[in-house]
Amino acid sequence: MPDDHAHPASGPSDVAALFQQLKEEVRAAGPRGADVPPAHVRLSVRDQAERLWPISAERPIVGKGGPIKAVLRRLMRWYVEPAFADQRAFNDAVLKLIDDLDERIQQLERK
C-alpha cells in the first residue's frame, strides 16, 4: 500500500511532477471555469488567504463540548498560543511578500 506521505525520489522528473501537482492544487483553490481570467483566480485565492491567516486558539468547540473541553482549552492556551502568534506573523509576512512579488511581476509585464 503506497504511503501518501512518503518522500519522492529526488530527480528532475519527480520535481517536475511535484511542481505540476502544486500548480494544479493552486488552480483548484480558485474559481472554476475556463473563462475565468487568472487575475480573478489570484484575487479569489488572495481573499481566501486574508480570511484564513489569523489563526487562534479561540475556536468554537465542535461536537460534544462539555465543561472538560472548555477547561482543557483554557489550560492549554498558554502552550499553543505562542506558536499560533508565530504562525500569524509568518502568514502576514508571506502575504505581504506575495503582494510585493505580484506587483513586481505586473511592472515587468508592463515594460
Side-chain angles (χ1 to χ4, degrees), residues 11-30:
S13 62
D14 294 330
V15 172
L18 180 60
F19 184 67
Q20 184 62 33
Q21 179 185 354
L22 288 172
K23 286 187 346 187
E24 290 170 9
E25 288 177 8
V26 168
R27 284 190 190 109

Side-chain angles (χ1 to χ4, degrees), residues 47-100:
D47 186 46
Q48 181 181 6
E50 280 289 331
R51 285 192 316 272
L52 297 176
W53 80 266
I55 61 172
S56 172
E58 292 300 319
R59 299 181 86 177
I61 298 175
V62 179
K64 296 179 183 178
I68 293 174
K69 282 191 178 180
V71 170
L72 286 175
R73 176 181 298 236
R74 284 188 220 120
L75 290 174
M76 292 188 308
R77 182 183 173 96
W78 70 269
Y79 182 74
V80 298
E81 191 58 39
F84 286 162
D86 291 344
Q87 186 65 53
R88 282 191 301 270
F90 175 81
N91 292 352
D92 185 46
V94 167
L95 290 175
K96 288 176 181 174
L97 177 63
I98 289 171
D99 287 343
D100 182 56

Side-chain angles (χ1 to χ4, degrees), residues 40-53:
H40 187 67
V41 172
R42 228 177 2 260
L43 289 175
S44 175
V45 173
R46 171 60 189 196
D47 186 46
Q48 181 181 6
E50 280 289 331
R51 285 192 316 272
L52 297 176
W53 80 266

